[in-house]
Each structure stands twice: as C-alpha cells, then as structure tokens.
Amino acid sequence: MIEQLINNAQDAIICLDLKGIILYCNKAASKLFDREGSSLVGMDYQSVTTFDPHKVGFDQLRESILFNEQLPPYIQEIDRRDSKKELVSVQYSPVTDQSGKITSISAILRKLTQSDKVASKAQALVETAPDAMVIINTVGQIVLVNAQTENQFGYTKDELLGCELEMLIPDKYISLLKKNQENCVSMGQVTELYGKRKDGSTFPVEISLSPLKTDDGLFVSAAIRNITDRKKAENKFKGLLESAPDAIILADKHGDIQLVNEQVVNIFGYSKKELIGNKIEILVPMRYHHRHTNHRDEFFHSAETRPMASGLELSGVRKSGEEFPVEISLSPLETEDGALAIAVIRDTSEKAAVKKELQDFNKKLQVKNKELEQFAFVASHDLQEPLQTVMSFTDFLAENYSHQFDETGIKSMQYITEATGRMRQLIKGLLDYSRIGRERTAVEVNCNELLDNIKIDLSSQIKNENATIHSTTLPHIKGNATELRLLFQNLITNAIKFHQNLTPPEVWIDARREKGHWLFSVKDNGIGIEKKYKERIFIIFQRLHNRNSYEGTGIGLAHCQKIVELHGGKIWVESEVGKGSIFYFTIPN
Ligand code: ADP
C-alpha cells in the first residue's frame, strides 16, 4: 500500500545508498529522467545529476545527512536520457532503519516552474554580487536575500524571508528609507544610512534601491553596501582637513567649491553651506575675477603643484567685503569625479602688518643712526680743535716753564699730557667710527695679501709679544678694502693684546665657504671672555679691563661689527675663559 502510494506520487522520489547509488525510483522519477526505472536503479546518482559548483557536492550532502542537519532544497540540473537538461528542486532527507541508524537518503525532486527558474537565476545572480542584496515585493516583504546579507546582518535567510526591510535599519532611519523607497520606483538612488544587525549593533551602509519589473509584478531590489571602511577613511581625511592650521578648499575645474574646512569659514566669514557649490571667485576681489578664471584654466591644464609664498602678491575678500593679503598653495588631485584643485590659503594680514611695522621701525632706526653718526662726526671733529689747543699749550708750558715747577707741578703736567693723549685717541676712534661707511666702493680684495700687509704693519707688536700668526689660504672677496683691513687688524691686535701671562700669543686665521657666504675665524690662545659679555664687547666704549691691565679705547670691536654689517654679514664670538677666543664673521658671496 505504501509502496503504491510512493510509486504513484506526483513528485519524483529516489532513494540512494550512502555511496550515491540509486536503490529505488518511483514512476514520476523515471518519467522525469526519461529512463526506465530498471535502468535508473543501480546507476550512480551523480552521473545523472549535476550539483551546483558554487554549493556543496554529494560528499558534503552525505555528511550533512549523517549529522542529521536540516537541509534547504537544492537546485540541481538533471540529465535526461533524451539529452535534455531539466532544472529541479531536490529535498534530501535521511532514511533510517528500525534501530534509527541512517541507512540511505531519500530525494524528492520537483521540476522548477518558469518563475522558480527565474527566481533561481536571480538567486544565482544576487549571490555573485559583492554587496548584501535584498529583494522586496510590493507589500514590502523580503522575498530574496543573498549570503552577503546573512553575513553582514547576522540573520539566516529563513529569518529574513517574509519580513520587512525595516528590520535591517535602525528605527530612526526608517522614515528616510521609506521616502527613498517611494522615489526609487522612478529612479535608482543611493542613500547613506545605517544598517542594524541581529545583535542590535549598527554600521554605516549605502543603500541603493531600484525598481525590478517582472512577470510576477513590481519588486524593489536593495543593494546594501557596508561602508564602514570608507567612513573610517573619510573621517580620517576630515580630521586631517580640520586639524590643518590653514584654510583648505577643494574645487573642480569649473571653479565650483566641493569641500572646505572650518578655517575657511573662520577666515572668509561664509558658512560651509554658502560656500559649497558656489564659485571659488566669491573669495577673490571682483577686479581679479577675470584673471582668476584664466589662472584656474591654466592650472587645470598644467596640473602642477604651486608652493606657498611663490612671490605672488595675492588678495582674498571676506564676506564683509574686506580685502586681505593671502598666501596660496595649489595642488592637483585626481578623483573619481574628475580633477580637483586643493587650495591651501593662509591669511597673512598679521604677517604683513608685522612686516610693515618692522620696515617702518627699520627706516626710523636708520634715520636715527645717521643722525647719531652725524652727531659723533661733528662732535669729534669739533672737539679736536680745543683739544689741539690744550695740547699745544701744555707742550709750550712743559718746554718753557717746567724748570719753574716743583715736583707736584711736574707730575700734574705729566697727567695732563697723558690724559690729553688718551682723549686724542678716543676722539680719533670716534671720528673713524663715524667715517666708516661714508664713502663705500666695493672691489675684489685678496685676503692673503691683506693679511701680509697687516703683518708688516704689526711687526713690532708681533715681535715684542713673541706672537705667531698662522693662516690657511684665504679667499678673494668683494668688499671695501680699507674697512676689511681695519676689521682683520682689530681682531688680530686684540688676539695678541689679550694674551695670557707667560704664554706667547698664537693666532689662527681661517676661512670656509658656506651656503651664500664665507665664514672667517680668528682664533687665539688668550685670556678668553666670560659668556655674559659675549654681546657687550661689541658695544662702543665697552671694555672688560681697565687701562692699567690692557691699553685700549673700547672702539675696536664696535668698528668690526659695523664693518661686517655694512658688508651684509654677522660677527660673534665663542670663547672659554683661560683657553682662548674665536671671533667668527661672515661675508656674503
Ligand atoms: P679695546 O681692545 O680697545 O679694549 P675692543 O672693542 O676691541 O676694545 O674690545 C672690547 C673688549 O673686548 C676688550 O676690552 C676686551 O675686554 C674684550 N676682548 C676683545 N678681544 C678679545 C680677545 N681676543 N680676547 C679676550 N678679550 C677680548
């Protein structure tokens, strides 16, 4: 009776042993395969059926059966004797003996209808999609999902089929989705939303809904892309953009602003909304609009990076209409949406104001310096005359009346002579100092010759102090010969003068070519200078010793500094007390 029932059943029924050999088939099965029942029995099931290569084969099927797993219907192709292929849906189940042991496998095969076939094709198609794909019917029920949907959302297909798409979206975004669902019937639209997993966690997604017209009616397909990685990258980019100290604008080749950071808002006074989509020219003063459009075209044509401070005087205009100086760097950026320009803009109003202040101050300083020099020149020049008179009369007194003086008178005369002598030296120094730079002509100076001449001039000092002067080959430089001679002479005289007791002075002169200038050094083995006086010694009349220890006026280094600065260089000292000093100065090439 049961056998009758099975034999006459509408569905094709086959029984397989665990190796896949056909043990039994009913009438419907032999019809389906277009083969005699007797020829089917004993055949290898796999020789007349094809398992979907993307899915499990017979071995895995047997494993699942032996593990008593619930199996979904398999879509398979069967080979009929007349060589026709037929698409069938097969439901496999275990067959047990009386003791409950699985001995064979039953397969119920059903031919797929046209719409089943379409659905199966659609399923195969959605499975190849990289995104989660969900197809919903007109009443909003999910009718098809792919494996990606299961992976992304943590639901099984069975849990999703028949439910609403809303179960995959956090509540607060549902209205937005609904709105898009209504629109999507006419156009495919991409919306950024959030997805909700079975465990309640959410993640950013991009959903694109498209209408799907089939013979069975209108469906909506939803492609759901997990955009977590993209969002992370976007956030990083935004973070970078916002943390930049400068204003950054991204604009396309038509000059339409695509993206701005907060600094743009701060500097130009427009809101982001007012800027995005607007022309970049709204940030440029009106009179430059035409020129700017040309520049923009040129930039997109050559697409070369233009660094900041390229010497151009540029201006921006704020929403208030106020113009201000800017520095701009431009770089090209290739994106999916075409070439963009990244403009980094720096408001240099403050810098320009400081520069101007500095220039004004410098000018004032120059005028004051000139006045002072003039004053020093006039004063020292005029002081010379009465001093000359005092000296002449003291000489006259000494020659004609000294025999009438007592001892105190003679000593007094001596003091007057010494003091007037010193005063003459000081006035001469002051006069020389104010004269430096008055008439300046630059010539090529051979520093080796210059040094030889100085050594001849200083020969008696060198001999008296038992000094040695070493030098490397020195360069030819451009400068004022008299001034340069005074510079070297002062430094060498000091190096010899400020020597340590009992140690004969040694001086080393060297020059090294550096970027943009020559670096000269005059080194000695003298008494050295305390760190705190490193700057003070260059001030006029500043001396660290009294006249009894070392002769001098305190003008020499002030002279040196003035000469070096007039040549566009710098002078400084490095020194260690008790070991010696090195005076460095630079002369630009
Ligand atoms: P002066 O040599 O007439 O005193 P300078 O202006 O040349 O005036 O030097 C100022 C001071 O700097 C000197 O009085 C001295 O104290 C210090 N000084 C200059 N050169 C040296 C040196 N080579 N070693 C040590 N001290 C020095």
Side-chain angles (χ1 to χ4, degrees):
M1 163 74 167
I2 294 174
E3 202 166 317
Q4 285 285 33
L5 205 72
I6 297 173
N7 207 19
N8 292 313
Q10 282 266 307
D11 291 330
I13 300 172
I14 285 177
C15 183
L16 308 169
D17 72 6
L18 293 176
K19 286 189 187 133
I21 303 296
I22 301 174
L23 299 174
Y24 167 83
C25 68
N26 69 354
K27 269 202 243 165
S30 77
K31 197 171 161 215
L32 181 67
F33 280 90
D34 185 34
R35 291 173 202 267
E36 293 286 327
S38 53
S39 74
L40 263 181
V41 171
M43 279 182 99
D44 183 351
Y45 180 63
Q46 288 185 79
S47 68
V48 286
T49 53
T50 316
F51 280 87
D52 184 342
H54 296 300
K55 290 204 180 151
V56 289
F58 181 77
D59 291 341
Q60 282 106 318
L61 168 72
R62 178 182 44 216
E63 224 168 86
S64 306
I65 291 276
L66 290 174
F67 277 106
N68 252 321
E69 282 174 14
Q70 272 270 312
L71 292 175
Y74 276 51
I75 308 293
Q76 281 180 263
E77 220 170 41
I78 61 158
D79 295 327
R80 285 164 55 92
R81 200 184 47 179
D82 59 12
S83 306
K84 274 205 325 212
K85 307 255 186 208
E86 193 76 66
L87 216 52
V88 292
S89 140
V90 192
Q91 182 67 58
Y92 295 97
S93 321
V95 178
T96 53
D97 64 9
Q98 274 150 357
S99 64
K101 189 172 146 206
I102 296 168
T103 54
S104 48
I105 303 166
S106 75
I108 300 174
L109 301 89
R110 190 173 287 169
K111 269 211 273 184
L112 292 185
T113 62
Q114 194 59 30
S115 64
D116 281 343
K117 283 180 190 168
V118 172
S120 138
K121 286 246 167 67
Q123 181 76 49
L125 209 67
V126 294
E127 288 304 349
T128 59
D131 300 326
M133 296 289 296
V134 178
I135 297 188
I136 46 177
N137 60 21
T138 33
V139 287
Q141 285 175 316
I142 298 175
V143 293
L144 198 91
V145 296
N146 64 354
Q148 277 293 351
T149 314
E150 293 180 292
N151 295 343
Q152 295 282 351
F153 290 89
Y155 288 104
T156 64
K157 270 183 191 153
D158 289 343
E159 286 173 308
L160 290 167
L161 295 177
C163 295
E164 296 199 324
L165 182 60
E166 282 80 340
M167 78 185 279
L168 301 178
I169 308 290
D171 294 347
K172 57 179 172 180
Y173 296 110
I174 288 176
S175 58
L176 191 63
L177 178 73
K178 282 249 155 79
K179 215 162 89 195
N180 283 311
Q181 237 165 312
E182 280 159 23
N183 291 342
C184 92
V185 180
S186 50
M187 54 172 183
Q189 232 191 18
V190 180
T191 321
E192 282 193 12
L193 282 180
Y194 277 84
K196 185 173 78 182
R197 296 194 185 91
K198 189 178 177 183
D199 64 10
S201 60
T202 60
F203 59 103
V205 293
E206 193 179 77
I207 299 189
S208 92
L209 298 171
S210 326
L212 198 69
K213 283 187 189 131
T214 74
D215 292 343
D216 299 327
L218 184 67
F219 291 83
V220 174
S221 86
I224 307 171
R225 180 165 294 178
N226 184 339
I227 53 169
T228 309
D229 289 344
R230 199 180 78 195
K231 280 275 155 203
K232 270 191 201 156
E234 266 178 28
N235 286 342
K236 259 191 209 158
F237 178 67
K238 272 194 193 145
L240 207 71
L241 203 68
E242 292 304 346
S243 62
D246 298 319
I248 299 178
I249 300 178
L250 262 77
D252 65 17
K253 61 172 187 254
H254 308 294
D256 292 330
I257 299 174
Q258 304 280 329
L259 196 77
V260 297
N261 68 355
E262 204 54 42
Q263 281 297 351
V264 179
V265 176
N266 296 340
I267 293 179
F268 288 93
Y270 289 101
S271 70
K272 283 191 180 177
K273 218 166 153 198
E274 287 173 307
L275 290 167
I276 289 171
N278 218 324
K279 289 271 180 238
I280 189 113
E281 276 76 26
I282 66 164
L283 307 176
V284 179
M286 186 73 91
R287 62 183 181 286
Y288 299 132
H289 277 198
H290 180 66
R291 202 169 81 187
H292 191 266
T293 321
N294 290 343
H295 280 284
R296 168 153 54 80
D297 291 343
E298 264 168 39
F299 174 76
F300 277 102
H301 197 67
S302 67
E304 274 173 11
T305 301
R306 199 184 74 196
M308 211 162 247
S310 53
L312 296 175
E313 298 247 326
L314 302 167
S315 312
V317 62
R318 300 188 219 275
K319 191 180 176 185
S320 62
E322 182 200 345
E323 283 188 25
F324 61 104
V326 288
E327 272 176 10
I328 300 180
S329 84
L330 289 176
S331 335
L333 179 73
E334 277 305 327
T335 72
E336 282 173 6
D337 308 324
L340 295 180
I342 309 177
V344 179
I345 304 167
R346 191 169 292 169
D347 180 348
T348 54
S349 321
E350 244 173 67
K351 201 168 128 185
V354 171
K355 196 172 153 193
K356 169 125 200 341
E357 220 171 277
L358 217 66
Q359 276 172 346
D360 291 349
F361 184 71
N362 250 340
K363 253 190 212 145
K364 275 189 203 155
L365 215 66
Q366 272 173 9
V367 172
K368 277 268 165 288
N369 258 345
K370 273 263 154 318
E371 280 173 12
L372 267 176
E373 272 171 16
Q374 192 62 27
F375 168 77
F377 179 74
V378 172
S380 43
H381 188 264
D382 291 357
L383 278 175
Q384 268 186 329
E385 203 202 282
L387 181 67
Q388 203 56 52
T389 314
V390 174
M391 285 173 86
S392 308
F393 276 102
T394 29
D395 281 352
F396 177 77
L397 280 177
E399 265 171 38
N400 300 306
Y401 295 95
S402 57
H403 60 276
Q404 293 180 22
F405 291 170
D406 60 8
E407 209 176 314
T408 317
I410 290 172
K411 264 234 145 37
S412 305
M413 278 298 290
Q414 223 174 328
Y415 286 143
I416 293 171
T417 314
E418 270 173 28
T420 46
R422 248 192 352 269
M423 193 155 174
R424 194 168 63 165
Q425 263 186 355
L426 281 173
I427 289 174
K428 186 180 174 300
L430 203 57
L431 207 56
D432 287 347
Y433 181 78
S434 55
R435 265 189 195 135
I436 292 176
R438 284 188 157 233
E439 283 158 34
R440 307 203 66 236
T441 40
V443 291
E444 188 180 293
V445 178
N446 178 348
C447 296
N448 303 293
E449 278 176 16
L450 190 93
L451 185 63
D452 288 341
N453 290 335
I454 291 171
K455 281 200 261 187
I456 296 171
D457 283 355
L458 298 181
S459 53
S460 63
Q461 190 190 2
I462 293 173
K463 198 169 167 213
N464 290 345
E465 302 290 358
N466 194 17
T468 323
I469 297 175
H470 313 269
S471 62
T472 55
T473 309
L474 301 177
H476 292 218
I477 54 173
K478 254 203 132 96
N480 182 294
T482 324
E483 289 172 9
L484 289 172
R485 185 174 173 147
L486 196 59
L487 168 67
F488 276 98
Q489 188 168 314
N490 280 349
L491 292 177
I492 295 168
T493 318
N494 279 353
I496 298 173
K497 182 164 65 172
F498 295 104
H499 69 88
Q500 311 201 54
N501 276 339
L502 311 175
T503 312
E506 275 191 84
V507 189
W508 292 266
I509 298 156
D510 184 33
R512 218 170 48 213
R513 189 193 269 281
E514 288 193 340
K515 209 175 161 210
H517 60 241
W518 281 98
L519 174 70
F520 287 90
S521 59
V522 178
K523 179 179 158 189
D524 64 49
N525 59 342
I527 56 171
I529 299 160
E530 271 187 72
K531 220 175 177 161
K532 58 180 175 186
Y533 298 128
K534 270 170 75 173
E535 262 110 51
R536 201 171 114 183
I537 52 170
F538 292 100
I539 300 173
I540 196 164
F541 299 133
Q542 291 290 336
R543 310 195 67 234
L544 305 181
H545 309 94
N546 60 31
R547 261 183 299 117
N548 298 334
S549 332
Y550 297 97
E551 268 293 326
T553 54
I555 294 177
L557 286 180
H559 259 153
C560 291
Q561 189 174 47
K562 192 169 172 185
I563 292 167
V564 170
E565 284 175 0
L566 279 169
H567 282 82
K570 278 194 302 193
I571 184 166
W572 68 98
V573 69
E574 274 167 25
S575 182
E576 211 177 314
V577 174
K579 289 221 164 133
S581 313
I582 313 177
F583 282 82
Y584 291 101
F585 64 91
T586 59
I587 301 289
N589 281 337

